[in-house]
Amino acid sequence: MCLAVPGRVLRTSEVDDTLMAEVDFGGVRKEVCLQYVPDAAVGEYVVVHVGFAIQRLDEKSAQQTLATFEKLGLLEEEFGDGFELAARQRDTAEGTDR
Protein backbone atom coordinates (compact mmCIF):
# COMPACT_ATOMS: atom_id res chain seq x y z
CA MET A 1 0.00 0.00 0.00
CA CYS A 2 1.22 3.49 -0.68
CA LEU A 3 -0.13 6.17 1.65
CA ALA A 4 0.02 9.92 1.65
CA VAL A 5 1.54 10.52 5.09
CA PRO A 6 1.94 13.80 7.00
CA GLY A 7 5.41 14.70 8.19
CA ARG A 8 7.18 17.68 9.74
CA VAL A 9 9.83 19.51 7.71
CA LEU A 10 13.11 19.48 9.64
CA ARG A 11 15.39 21.17 7.12
CA THR A 12 15.37 22.20 3.48
CA SER A 13 18.10 22.22 0.85
CA GLU A 14 18.61 22.36 -2.86
CA VAL A 15 20.02 19.23 -4.48
CA ASP A 16 20.80 19.30 -8.21
CA ASP A 17 18.49 22.31 -8.67
CA THR A 18 15.65 20.49 -6.87
CA LEU A 19 14.13 21.75 -3.61
CA MET A 20 14.36 18.94 -1.03
CA ALA A 21 13.60 18.51 2.67
CA GLU A 22 14.37 16.15 5.49
CA VAL A 23 10.92 15.23 6.84
CA ASP A 24 10.08 13.49 10.13
CA PHE A 25 7.16 11.03 10.06
CA GLY A 26 6.70 10.36 13.76
CA GLY A 27 10.29 9.23 14.24
CA VAL A 28 11.13 8.02 10.73
CA ARG A 29 13.09 10.56 8.69
CA LYS A 30 13.10 10.63 4.90
CA GLU A 31 14.33 12.92 2.13
CA VAL A 32 11.35 14.41 0.28
CA CYS A 33 11.00 16.55 -2.84
CA LEU A 34 9.36 19.95 -2.17
CA GLN A 35 8.92 21.05 -5.79
CA TYR A 36 5.09 20.92 -5.52
CA VAL A 37 5.03 22.94 -2.28
CA PRO A 38 8.10 25.19 -2.54
CA ASP A 39 6.82 27.56 0.17
CA ALA A 40 6.85 24.84 2.86
CA ALA A 41 9.01 26.00 5.76
CA VAL A 42 10.97 24.26 8.50
CA GLY A 43 8.57 23.27 11.29
CA GLU A 44 5.53 23.02 9.02
CA TYR A 45 3.76 19.79 8.13
CA VAL A 46 3.42 18.47 4.60
CA VAL A 47 1.54 15.51 3.17
CA VAL A 48 3.96 13.22 1.33
CA HIS A 49 3.12 10.67 -1.35
CA VAL A 50 5.82 8.53 -3.02
CA GLY A 51 8.57 10.91 -1.98
CA PHE A 52 6.87 14.16 -3.01
CA ALA A 53 5.27 16.69 -0.67
CA ILE A 54 1.89 17.36 -2.26
CA GLN A 55 0.33 19.84 0.18
CA ARG A 56 0.82 21.64 3.49
CA LEU A 57 -1.18 20.58 6.56
CA ASP A 58 -1.83 22.10 9.97
CA GLU A 59 -0.15 20.44 12.96
CA LYS A 60 -3.36 19.28 14.65
CA SER A 61 -4.57 17.45 11.52
CA ALA A 62 -1.11 15.98 10.95
CA GLN A 63 -0.90 14.64 14.52
CA GLN A 64 -4.41 13.18 14.37
CA THR A 65 -3.65 11.45 11.06
CA LEU A 66 -0.33 10.06 12.33
CA ALA A 67 -2.03 8.75 15.48
CA THR A 68 -4.75 7.04 13.44
CA PHE A 69 -2.22 5.51 11.04
CA GLU A 70 -0.18 4.30 14.04
CA LYS A 71 -3.23 2.66 15.66
CA LEU A 72 -4.04 0.90 12.40
CA GLY A 73 -0.45 -0.27 11.95
CA LEU A 74 -0.14 1.61 8.68
CA LEU A 75 3.05 3.48 9.59
CA GLU A 76 4.92 0.26 10.26
CA GLU A 77 3.59 -1.14 6.99
CA GLU A 78 4.63 1.99 5.10
CA PHE A 79 8.02 2.61 6.77
CA GLY A 80 8.98 -0.65 8.45
CA ASP A 81 11.56 -3.10 7.22
CA GLY A 82 10.11 -4.49 4.00
CA PHE A 83 11.81 -7.87 4.42
CA GLU A 84 10.51 -8.24 7.97
CA LEU A 85 6.99 -7.34 6.82
CA ALA A 86 7.16 -9.82 3.92
CA ALA A 87 8.31 -12.57 6.30
CA ARG A 88 5.45 -11.86 8.73
CA GLN A 89 2.92 -11.88 5.90
CA ARG A 90 4.35 -15.15 4.58
CA ASP A 91 4.23 -16.74 8.04
CA THR A 92 0.63 -15.61 8.52
CA ALA A 93 -0.36 -17.07 5.14
CA GLU A 94 1.38 -20.36 6.00
CA GLY A 95 -0.24 -20.47 9.43
CA THR A 96 3.03 -20.15 11.35
CA ASP A 97 4.10 -17.39 13.65
CA ARG A 98 7.68 -16.35 14.51
Coordinates of all heavy atoms in Angstrom, one line a residue:
M1 N 0.9 -1.2 0.0 CA 0.0 0.0 0.0 C 0.9 1.2 0.0 O 2.0 1.2 0.6 CB -0.9 0.0 1.2 CG -1.8 1.2 1.3 SD -2.8 1.4 2.8 CE -3.3 -0.3 3.1
C2 N 0.5 2.2 -0.6 CA 1.2 3.5 -0.7 C 0.3 4.6 -0.2 O -0.7 5.0 -0.8 CB 1.7 3.8 -2.1 SG 3.1 4.8 -2.2
L3 N 0.7 5.1 1.0 CA -0.1 6.2 1.6 C 0.4 7.6 1.4 O 1.6 7.7 1.1 CB -0.1 6.0 3.2 CG -0.6 4.7 3.7 CD1 -0.3 4.6 5.2 CD2 -2.1 4.6 3.5
A4 N -0.4 8.5 1.5 CA 0.0 9.9 1.7 C 0.1 10.2 3.1 O -0.9 10.2 3.8 CB -0.9 10.9 0.9
V5 N 1.3 10.4 3.7 CA 1.5 10.5 5.1 C 2.0 11.9 5.5 O 2.9 12.5 4.8 CB 2.6 9.5 5.5 CG1 2.9 9.5 7.0 CG2 2.2 8.1 5.1
P6 N 1.5 12.5 6.5 CA 1.9 13.8 7.0 C 3.3 13.7 7.7 O 3.5 12.7 8.5 CB 0.8 14.3 7.9 CG 0.1 13.1 8.4 CD 0.3 12.0 7.3
G7 N 4.1 14.7 7.5 CA 5.4 14.7 8.2 C 5.8 16.1 8.4 O 5.3 17.1 7.7
R8 N 6.7 16.3 9.4 CA 7.2 17.7 9.7 C 8.5 18.0 9.1 O 9.4 17.2 9.1 CB 7.3 17.8 11.3 CG 7.7 19.1 11.8 CD 7.6 19.2 13.3 NE 8.4 20.2 13.8 CZ 9.6 20.1 14.2 NH1 10.2 19.0 14.2 NH2 10.3 21.2 14.6
V9 N 8.6 19.1 8.4 CA 9.8 19.5 7.7 C 10.9 19.9 8.8 O 10.7 20.8 9.6 CB 9.6 20.7 6.8 CG1 10.9 21.2 6.1 CG2 8.5 20.3 5.7
L10 N 12.0 19.2 8.7 CA 13.1 19.5 9.6 C 14.2 20.4 9.1 O 14.7 21.3 9.8 CB 13.8 18.2 10.0 CG 12.9 17.1 10.7 CD1 13.7 15.9 11.0 CD2 12.4 17.7 12.0
R11 N 14.4 20.3 7.8 CA 15.4 21.2 7.1 C 15.1 21.1 5.6 O 14.6 20.1 5.1 CB 16.8 20.8 7.4 CG 17.3 19.5 6.8 CD 18.7 19.2 7.1 NE 19.1 17.9 6.5 CZ 19.3 17.7 5.2 NH1 19.2 18.7 4.3 NH2 19.6 16.5 4.8
T12 N 15.5 22.2 4.9 CA 15.4 22.2 3.5 C 16.7 22.4 2.8 O 17.6 23.0 3.5 CB 14.4 23.3 3.0 OG1 14.9 24.6 3.4 CG2 13.0 23.1 3.6
S13 N 16.9 22.0 1.6 CA 18.1 22.2 0.9 C 17.8 22.1 -0.6 O 16.7 21.6 -1.0 CB 19.2 21.2 1.3 OG 18.7 19.9 1.0
E14 N 18.8 22.5 -1.4 CA 18.6 22.4 -2.9 C 19.6 21.3 -3.3 O 20.8 21.4 -3.0 CB 18.8 23.7 -3.6 CG 18.4 23.6 -5.0 CD 18.2 25.0 -5.6 OE1 17.5 25.8 -5.0 OE2 18.8 25.2 -6.7
V15 N 19.2 20.3 -4.0 CA 20.0 19.2 -4.5 C 19.8 19.1 -6.0 O 18.7 18.8 -6.4 CB 19.7 17.9 -3.8 CG1 20.5 16.8 -4.3 CG2 19.8 18.0 -2.3
D16 N 20.9 19.4 -6.7 CA 20.8 19.3 -8.2 C 19.6 20.1 -8.7 O 18.8 19.7 -9.5 CB 20.7 17.8 -8.7 CG 21.9 17.0 -8.3 OD1 23.0 17.6 -8.4 OD2 21.7 15.8 -8.1
D17 N 19.5 21.4 -8.3 CA 18.5 22.3 -8.7 C 17.1 21.9 -8.3 O 16.1 22.3 -8.9 CB 18.6 22.6 -10.2 CG 19.9 23.3 -10.6 OD1 20.3 24.1 -9.8 OD2 20.4 23.0 -11.6
T18 N 17.0 21.0 -7.3 CA 15.7 20.5 -6.9 C 15.5 20.8 -5.4 O 16.4 20.5 -4.6 CB 15.5 19.0 -7.1 OG1 15.7 18.7 -8.5 CG2 14.2 18.5 -6.7
L19 N 14.4 21.4 -5.0 CA 14.1 21.7 -3.6 C 13.8 20.5 -2.8 O 12.8 19.8 -3.2 CB 13.0 22.8 -3.5 CG 12.7 23.3 -2.1 CD1 14.0 24.0 -1.5 CD2 11.6 24.3 -2.2
M20 N 14.5 20.2 -1.8 CA 14.4 18.9 -1.0 C 14.2 19.3 0.4 O 14.5 20.4 0.9 CB 15.6 18.0 -1.2 CG 15.8 17.6 -2.6 SD 14.6 16.5 -3.3 CE 14.8 15.0 -2.3
A21 N 13.7 18.3 1.2 CA 13.6 18.5 2.7 C 13.8 17.2 3.4 O 13.5 16.1 2.9 CB 12.2 19.0 3.0
E22 N 14.4 17.3 4.6 CA 14.4 16.1 5.5 C 13.1 16.3 6.3 O 12.8 17.3 6.9 CB 15.6 16.2 6.4 CG 15.6 15.0 7.4 CD 16.7 15.0 8.4 OE1 17.5 16.0 8.4 OE2 16.9 14.1 9.1
V23 N 12.2 15.2 6.2 CA 10.9 15.2 6.8 C 10.8 14.1 7.9 O 11.3 13.0 7.6 CB 9.8 15.1 5.8 CG1 8.4 15.0 6.4 CG2 9.9 16.2 4.8
D24 N 10.3 14.4 9.0 CA 10.1 13.5 10.1 C 8.6 13.0 10.1 O 7.7 13.8 10.2 CB 10.4 14.2 11.5 CG 10.2 13.3 12.6 OD1 10.5 12.1 12.5 OD2 9.7 13.8 13.7
F25 N 8.5 11.7 10.0 CA 7.2 11.0 10.1 C 7.0 10.3 11.4 O 7.0 9.1 11.4 CB 7.0 10.0 8.9 CG 7.2 10.7 7.5 CD1 8.4 10.7 6.9 CD2 6.1 11.2 6.9 CE1 8.5 11.3 5.7 CE2 6.2 11.8 5.7 CZ 7.5 11.9 5.0
G26 N 6.9 11.0 12.5 CA 6.7 10.4 13.8 C 7.9 9.5 14.2 O 7.7 8.4 14.7
G27 N 9.1 10.0 13.8 CA 10.3 9.2 14.2 C 11.1 8.7 13.1 O 12.2 8.4 13.2
V28 N 10.5 8.5 11.9 CA 11.1 8.0 10.7 C 11.4 9.3 9.9 O 10.5 10.0 9.6 CB 10.2 7.0 9.9 CG1 10.9 6.7 8.6 CG2 9.9 5.8 10.8
R29 N 12.7 9.4 9.5 CA 13.1 10.6 8.7 C 13.4 10.1 7.3 O 14.1 9.1 7.1 CB 14.3 11.2 9.3 CG 14.0 11.8 10.6 CD 15.2 12.5 11.3 NE 14.8 13.1 12.5 CZ 15.6 13.9 13.2 NH1 16.8 14.2 12.7 NH2 15.2 14.5 14.3
K30 N 12.9 10.9 6.3 CA 13.1 10.6 4.9 C 13.4 11.9 4.1 O 13.0 13.0 4.5 CB 11.8 10.0 4.3 CG 11.4 8.7 4.9 CD 12.1 7.6 4.3 CE 11.6 6.3 4.8 NZ 12.2 5.1 4.3
E31 N 14.1 11.8 3.0 CA 14.3 12.9 2.1 C 13.1 13.0 1.2 O 12.7 12.0 0.7 CB 15.6 12.7 1.3 CG 16.9 13.0 2.1 CD 17.0 14.4 2.6 OE1 16.8 15.3 1.8 OE2 17.3 14.6 3.8
V32 N 12.6 14.2 1.0 CA 11.4 14.4 0.3 C 11.5 15.6 -0.7 O 12.2 16.6 -0.3 CB 10.2 14.7 1.3 CG1 9.0 15.2 0.6 CG2 9.9 13.5 2.1
C33 N 11.0 15.5 -1.9 CA 11.0 16.5 -2.8 C 9.9 17.6 -2.5 O 8.8 17.2 -2.3 CB 10.8 16.0 -4.2 SG 10.8 17.2 -5.5
L34 N 10.3 18.9 -2.5 CA 9.4 19.9 -2.2 C 8.9 20.8 -3.4 O 8.3 21.8 -3.3 CB 10.0 20.9 -1.2 CG 10.2 20.5 0.3 CD1 10.8 21.6 1.1 CD2 8.8 20.0 0.9
Q35 N 9.2 20.3 -4.6 CA 8.9 21.1 -5.8 C 7.4 21.4 -5.9 O 7.1 22.5 -6.4 CB 9.4 20.3 -7.0 CG 10.9 20.2 -7.2 CD 11.5 21.6 -7.4 OE1 12.2 22.0 -6.5 NE2 11.3 22.2 -8.5
Y36 N 6.5 20.6 -5.4 CA 5.1 20.9 -5.5 C 4.6 21.9 -4.4 O 3.5 22.5 -4.6 CB 4.2 19.6 -5.5 CG 4.5 18.7 -6.6 CD1 4.7 17.4 -6.4 CD2 4.5 19.2 -7.9 CE1 4.9 16.5 -7.5 CE2 4.7 18.3 -9.0 CZ 4.9 17.0 -8.8 OH 5.1 16.1 -9.8
V37 N 5.4 22.0 -3.4 CA 5.0 22.9 -2.3 C 6.3 23.7 -1.9 O 6.8 23.6 -0.8 CB 4.4 22.2 -1.1 CG1 3.0 21.9 -1.3 CG2 5.2 21.0 -0.6
P38 N 6.8 24.5 -2.8 CA 8.1 25.2 -2.5 C 8.1 26.2 -1.4 O 9.1 26.6 -0.9 CB 8.4 25.9 -3.9 CG 7.1 26.1 -4.5 CD 6.2 24.9 -4.1
D39 N 6.9 26.6 -0.9 CA 6.8 27.6 0.2 C 6.8 26.9 1.5 O 6.7 27.6 2.6 CB 5.6 28.5 0.0 CG 4.3 27.7 -0.1 OD1 4.3 26.5 -0.5 OD2 3.3 28.3 0.1
A40 N 6.8 25.5 1.6 CA 6.8 24.8 2.9 C 8.1 25.2 3.6 O 9.2 25.3 3.1 CB 6.8 23.3 2.6
A41 N 7.9 25.5 4.9 CA 9.0 26.0 5.8 C 9.3 25.0 6.9 O 8.5 24.1 7.2 CB 8.6 27.3 6.4
V42 N 10.5 25.1 7.4 CA 11.0 24.3 8.5 C 10.0 24.4 9.6 O 9.5 25.5 10.0 CB 12.4 24.7 9.0 CG1 12.8 23.9 10.3 CG2 13.4 24.4 7.9
G43 N 9.5 23.3 10.2 CA 8.6 23.3 11.3 C 7.1 23.0 10.8 O 6.3 22.7 11.6
E44 N 6.9 23.3 9.5 CA 5.5 23.0 9.0 C 5.4 21.5 8.7 O 6.3 20.8 8.5 CB 5.3 23.9 7.8 CG 5.2 25.3 8.1 CD 4.8 26.1 6.8 OE1 5.3 25.8 5.7 OE2 4.1 27.1 7.0
Y45 N 4.1 21.2 8.5 CA 3.8 19.8 8.1 C 3.4 19.8 6.7 O 2.7 20.7 6.2 CB 2.6 19.2 9.0 CG 3.1 18.9 10.4 CD1 3.2 19.8 11.4 CD2 3.4 17.5 10.7 CE1 3.7 19.5 12.6 CE2 3.8 17.2 12.0 CZ 4.0 18.2 12.9 OH 4.4 17.8 14.2
V46 N 3.8 18.7 6.0 CA 3.4 18.5 4.6 C 2.9 17.0 4.5 O 3.2 16.2 5.3 CB 4.6 18.7 3.6 CG1 5.0 20.1 3.6 CG2 5.8 17.8 4.0
V47 N 2.0 16.8 3.5 CA 1.5 15.5 3.2 C 2.4 15.0 2.1 O 2.6 15.7 1.0 CB 0.1 15.5 2.7 CG1 -0.4 14.2 2.3 CG2 -0.8 16.1 3.8
V48 N 3.0 13.8 2.3 CA 4.0 13.2 1.3 C 3.4 11.9 0.7 O 2.9 11.1 1.4 CB 5.3 12.9 2.0 CG1 6.3 12.3 1.1 CG2 5.9 14.2 2.7
H49 N 3.5 11.9 -0.6 CA 3.1 10.7 -1.3 C 4.3 10.3 -2.3 O 4.7 11.1 -3.1 CB 1.8 10.9 -2.1 CG 1.3 9.8 -2.9 ND1 0.9 8.6 -2.3 CD2 1.2 9.6 -4.2 CE1 0.6 7.8 -3.2 NE2 0.7 8.3 -4.4
V50 N 4.7 9.1 -2.2 CA 5.8 8.5 -3.0 C 7.0 9.5 -3.1 O 7.6 9.7 -4.2 CB 5.4 8.0 -4.4 CG1 4.5 6.8 -4.3 CG2 4.7 9.1 -5.2
G51 N 7.4 10.1 -2.0 CA 8.6 10.9 -2.0 C 8.4 12.4 -2.4 O 9.3 13.1 -2.4
F52 N 7.2 12.8 -2.6 CA 6.9 14.2 -3.0 C 5.9 14.8 -2.0 O 4.8 14.2 -1.7 CB 6.2 14.2 -4.4 CG 7.2 13.9 -5.5 CD1 7.3 12.6 -5.9 CD2 7.8 14.9 -6.2 CE1 8.2 12.3 -6.9 CE2 8.7 14.6 -7.2 CZ 8.9 13.3 -7.6
A53 N 6.2 15.9 -1.5 CA 5.3 16.7 -0.7 C 4.2 17.2 -1.6 O 4.6 17.9 -2.6 CB 6.0 17.8 0.1
I54 N 3.0 17.0 -1.3 CA 1.9 17.4 -2.3 C 1.0 18.5 -1.7 O 0.2 19.1 -2.5 CB 1.0 16.2 -2.7 CG1 0.5 15.4 -1.5 CG2 1.9 15.2 -3.6 CD1 -0.5 14.3 -1.9
Q55 N 1.1 18.7 -0.4 CA 0.3 19.8 0.2 C 0.8 20.1 1.6 O 1.4 19.2 2.2 CB -1.2 19.6 0.2 CG -1.7 18.6 1.2 CD -3.1 18.4 1.2 OE1 -3.7 18.1 0.1 NE2 -3.8 18.4 2.3
R56 N 0.5 21.3 2.1 CA 0.8 21.6 3.5 C -0.4 21.2 4.3 O -1.5 21.1 3.8 CB 1.1 23.1 3.6 CG 2.4 23.4 3.0 CD 2.8 24.9 2.8 NE 2.4 25.7 3.9 CZ 2.2 27.0 3.7 NH1 2.3 27.6 2.6 NH2 1.8 27.8 4.7
L57 N -0.1 21.0 5.6 CA -1.2 20.6 6.6 C -0.9 21.2 7.9 O 0.2 21.4 8.3 CB -1.1 19.0 6.7 CG -2.2 18.3 7.4 CD1 -3.5 18.4 6.8 CD2 -1.8 16.8 7.5
D58 N -2.0 21.5 8.6 CA -1.8 22.1 10.0 C -1.4 21.0 10.9 O -1.6 19.8 10.7 CB -3.1 22.8 10.4 CG -4.2 21.8 10.7 OD1 -5.0 21.5 9.7 OD2 -4.4 21.3 11.8
E59 N -0.7 21.4 12.0 CA -0.1 20.4 13.0 C -1.2 19.5 13.6 O -1.0 18.3 13.7 CB 0.6 21.2 14.0 CG 1.3 20.2 15.0 CD 2.2 20.9 16.0 OE1 2.2 22.2 16.0 OE2 2.8 20.2 16.8
K60 N -2.3 20.1 14.0 CA -3.4 19.3 14.6 C -3.8 18.1 13.7 O -3.9 17.0 14.1 CB -4.5 20.2 15.1 CG -5.6 19.4 15.8 CD -6.8 20.3 16.2 CE -7.9 19.5 16.9 NZ -9.0 20.3 17.2
S61 N -4.1 18.5 12.5 CA -4.6 17.5 11.5 C -3.5 16.4 11.3 O -3.8 15.2 11.2 CB -5.0 18.1 10.2 OG -6.1 18.9 10.4
A62 N -2.2 16.9 11.2 CA -1.1 16.0 10.9 C -1.0 15.0 12.1 O -0.8 13.8 11.9 CB 0.2 16.8 10.8
Q63 N -1.0 15.5 13.3 CA -0.9 14.6 14.5 C -2.1 13.6 14.6 O -1.8 12.5 15.0 CB -0.8 15.5 15.8 CG 0.5 16.3 15.9 CD 1.7 15.5 15.9 OE1 1.7 14.3 16.3 NE2 2.8 16.1 15.5
Q64 N -3.3 14.1 14.3 CA -4.4 13.2 14.4 C -4.3 12.1 13.3 O -4.5 10.9 13.6 CB -5.7 13.9 14.1 CG -6.1 14.8 15.3 CD -7.3 15.7 14.9 OE1 -7.6 16.0 13.8 NE2 -8.0 16.1 16.0
T65 N -3.8 12.4 12.1 CA -3.7 11.5 11.1 C -2.6 10.5 11.4 O -2.7 9.2 11.3 CB -3.3 12.2 9.7 OG1 -4.4 13.0 9.4 CG2 -3.1 11.2 8.6
L66 N -1.4 11.0 11.9 CA -0.3 10.1 12.3 C -0.8 9.1 13.4 O -0.4 7.9 13.4 CB 0.9 10.9 12.8 CG 1.7 11.5 11.7 CD1 2.7 12.5 12.3 CD2 2.4 10.5 10.8
A67 N -1.5 9.6 14.4 CA -2.0 8.8 15.5 C -3.0 7.7 15.0 O -2.9 6.5 15.4 CB -2.7 9.6 16.5
T68 N -3.8 8.0 14.0 CA -4.8 7.0 13.4 C -4.0 6.0 12.6 O -4.2 4.8 12.8 CB -5.8 7.7 12.5 OG1 -6.5 8.7 13.3 CG2 -6.7 6.7 11.9
F69 N -3.0 6.5 11.8 CA -2.2 5.5 11.0 C -1.5 4.6 12.0 O -1.3 3.4 11.7 CB -1.2 6.3 10.2 CG -1.8 6.9 8.9 CD1 -3.2 6.8 8.6 CD2 -1.0 7.6 8.1 CE1 -3.7 7.4 7.5 CE2 -1.6 8.2 6.9 CZ -2.9 8.1 6.6
E70 N -0.9 5.1 13.1 CA -0.2 4.3 14.0 C -1.1 3.2 14.6 O -0.7 2.1 14.7 CB 0.4 5.2 15.1 CG 1.2 4.4 16.2 CD 2.5 3.9 15.7 OE1 3.1 4.5 14.7 OE2 3.0 2.9 16.2
K71 N -2.3 3.6 15.1 CA -3.2 2.7 15.7 C -3.6 1.5 14.7 O -3.7 0.4 15.1 CB -4.5 3.4 16.1 CG -4.5 3.9 17.5 CD -5.9 4.2 18.0 CE -6.3 5.6 17.6 NZ -7.6 6.0 18.2
L72 N -3.7 1.9 13.4 CA -4.0 0.9 12.4 C -2.8 0.1 11.9 O -3.0 -0.8 11.1 CB -4.7 1.6 11.2 CG -6.0 2.3 11.5 CD1 -6.5 3.1 10.3 CD2 -7.1 1.3 11.9
G73 N -1.6 0.4 12.4 CA -0.4 -0.3 12.0 C 0.0 0.1 10.6 O 0.9 -0.5 10.0
L74 N -0.5 1.2 10.0 CA -0.1 1.6 8.7 C 1.2 2.2 8.6 O 1.9 2.1 7.6 CB -1.2 2.6 8.1 CG -2.6 2.0 8.0 CD1 -3.6 3.0 7.5 CD2 -2.6 0.8 7.0
L75 N 1.7 2.9 9.6 CA 3.0 3.5 9.6 C 4.1 2.4 9.5 O 5.1 2.5 8.8 CB 3.3 4.4 10.8 CG 2.5 5.7 10.8 CD1 2.8 6.5 12.0 CD2 2.7 6.5 9.5
E76 N 4.0 1.4 10.3 CA 4.9 0.3 10.3 C 4.9 -0.4 8.9 O 5.9 -0.7 8.3 CB 4.6 -0.8 11.3 CG 5.6 -1.9 11.3 CD 5.3 -2.9 12.4 OE1 4.6 -2.6 13.4 OE2 5.8 -4.0 12.3
E77 N 3.7 -0.6 8.3 CA 3.6 -1.1 7.0 C 4.3 -0.2 6.0 O 4.9 -0.7 5.0 CB 2.1 -1.3 6.6 CG 1.9 -2.0 5.3 CD 0.4 -2.3 5.1 OE1 -0.3 -2.6 6.0 OE2 0.0 -2.1 3.9
E78 N 4.1 1.0 6.1 CA 4.6 2.0 5.1 C 6.1 2.2 5.3 O 6.9 2.3 4.3 CB 3.9 3.3 5.2 CG 4.3 4.3 4.2 CD 3.7 4.0 2.8 OE1 2.8 3.2 2.7 OE2 4.1 4.7 1.9
F79 N 6.6 2.3 6.5 CA 8.0 2.6 6.8 C 8.9 1.5 7.4 O 10.1 1.6 7.4 CB 8.1 3.8 7.7 CG 7.5 5.1 7.1 CD1 6.4 5.7 7.7 CD2 8.1 5.6 6.0 CE1 5.9 6.8 7.2 CE2 7.6 6.8 5.5 CZ 6.5 7.4 6.0
G80 N 8.2 0.4 7.8 CA 9.0 -0.7 8.4 C 9.9 -1.4 7.5 O 9.9 -1.1 6.3
D81 N 10.6 -2.3 8.0 CA 11.6 -3.1 7.2 C 10.7 -4.0 6.3 O 10.0 -4.8 6.7 CB 12.4 -4.0 8.2 CG 13.4 -4.8 7.4 OD1 13.3 -4.9 6.2 OD2 14.3 -5.4 8.1
G82 N 10.9 -3.8 5.0 CA 10.1 -4.5 4.0 C 10.3 -6.0 4.1 O 9.4 -6.8 3.9
F83 N 11.5 -6.4 4.3 CA 11.8 -7.9 4.4 C 11.1 -8.5 5.6 O 10.6 -9.6 5.6 CB 13.3 -8.1 4.5 CG 14.0 -7.8 3.2 CD1 14.9 -6.8 3.1 CD2 13.8 -8.5 2.0 CE1 15.5 -6.4 1.9 CE2 14.4 -8.2 0.8 CZ 15.3 -7.1 0.8
E84 N 11.2 -7.8 6.8 CA 10.5 -8.2 8.0 C 9.0 -8.3 7.7 O 8.4 -9.3 8.1 CB 10.8 -7.3 9.1 CG 10.2 -7.8 10.5 CD 10.5 -6.8 11.6 OE1 11.7 -6.4 11.7 OE2 9.6 -6.5 12.3
L85 N 8.4 -7.3 7.1 CA 7.0 -7.3 6.8 C 6.6 -8.5 5.9 O 5.7 -9.2 6.1 CB 6.6 -6.0 6.2 CG 5.1 -5.9 5.8 CD1 4.2 -6.1 7.0 CD2 4.9 -4.6 5.1
A86 N 7.4 -8.7 4.9 CA 7.2 -9.8 3.9 C 7.2 -11.2 4.6 O 6.4 -12.0 4.4 CB 8.2 -9.8 2.8
A87 N 8.2 -11.3 5.5 CA 8.3 -12.6 6.3 C 7.1 -12.8 7.2 O 6.6 -13.9 7.3 CB 9.6 -12.6 7.1
R88 N 6.6 -11.7 7.9 CA 5.5 -11.9 8.7 C 4.2 -12.2 7.9 O 3.4 -13.1 8.3 CB 5.2 -10.6 9.5 CG 6.1 -10.4 10.7 CD 5.6 -9.3 11.7 NE 5.0 -8.2 11.0 CZ 5.7 -7.0 10.8 NH1 7.0 -6.9 11.2 NH2 5.1 -6.0 10.3
Q89 N 4.1 -11.6 6.7 CA 2.9 -11.9 5.9 C 3.0 -13.3 5.4 O 2.0 -14.0 5.3 CB 2.8 -10.9 4.7 CG 2.4 -9.5 5.2 CD 2.5 -8.5 4.1 OE1 3.2 -8.7 3.1 NE2 1.8 -7.4 4.2
R90 N 4.2 -13.8 5.0 CA 4.3 -15.1 4.6 C 4.0 -16.1 5.7 O 3.3 -17.1 5.5 CB 5.8 -15.4 4.1 CG 6.0 -16.8 3.6 CD 7.5 -17.2 3.6 NE 7.9 -17.2 5.0 CZ 9.1 -16.8 5.4 NH1 10.0 -16.3 4.5 NH2 9.5 -16.9 6.7
D91 N 4.5 -15.9 6.9 CA 4.2 -16.7 8.0 C 2.7 -16.8 8.4 O 2.2 -17.8 8.7 CB 5.0 -16.3 9.3 CG 6.5 -16.5 9.1 OD1 6.9 -17.3 8.2 OD2 7.3 -15.9 9.9
T92 N 2.1 -15.7 8.3 CA 0.6 -15.6 8.5 C -0.1 -16.4 7.5 O -1.0 -17.2 7.8 CB 0.1 -14.2 8.5 OG1 0.8 -13.4 9.5 CG2 -1.4 -14.1 8.7
A93 N 0.3 -16.3 6.2 CA -0.4 -17.1 5.1 C -0.1 -18.6 5.3 O -1.0 -19.4 5.0 CB 0.1 -16.6 3.8
E94 N 1.0 -19.0 5.8 CA 1.4 -20.4 6.0 C 0.8 -20.9 7.3 O 0.9 -22.1 7.6 CB 2.9 -20.6 5.9 CG 3.5 -20.3 4.6 CD 5.0 -20.4 4.6 OE1 5.6 -20.6 5.6 OE2 5.6 -20.2 3.5
G95 N 0.3 -20.0 8.2 CA -0.2 -20.5 9.4 C 0.8 -20.6 10.5 O 0.5 -21.3 11.5
T96 N 2.0 -20.1 10.3 CA 3.0 -20.1 11.3 C 3.2 -18.8 11.9 O 2.8 -17.8 11.3 CB 4.4 -20.7 10.8 OG1 4.8 -19.8 9.7 CG2 4.2 -22.1 10.3
D97 N 3.9 -18.7 13.0 CA 4.1 -17.4 13.6 C 5.5 -17.4 14.3 O 5.8 -18.3 15.0 CB 3.1 -17.1 14.7 CG 2.9 -15.6 15.0 OD1 3.4 -14.8 14.2 OD2 2.2 -15.3 16.0
R98 N 6.3 -16.4 14.0 CA 7.7 -16.4 14.5 C 7.7 -15.8 15.9 O 7.1 -14.9 16.2 CB 8.6 -15.5 13.6 CG 8.8 -16.2 12.3 CD 9.8 -15.4 11.5 NE 9.9 -16.1 10.2 CZ 11.0 -16.3 9.5 NH1 12.1 -15.9 10.0 NH2 11.0 -16.9 8.4

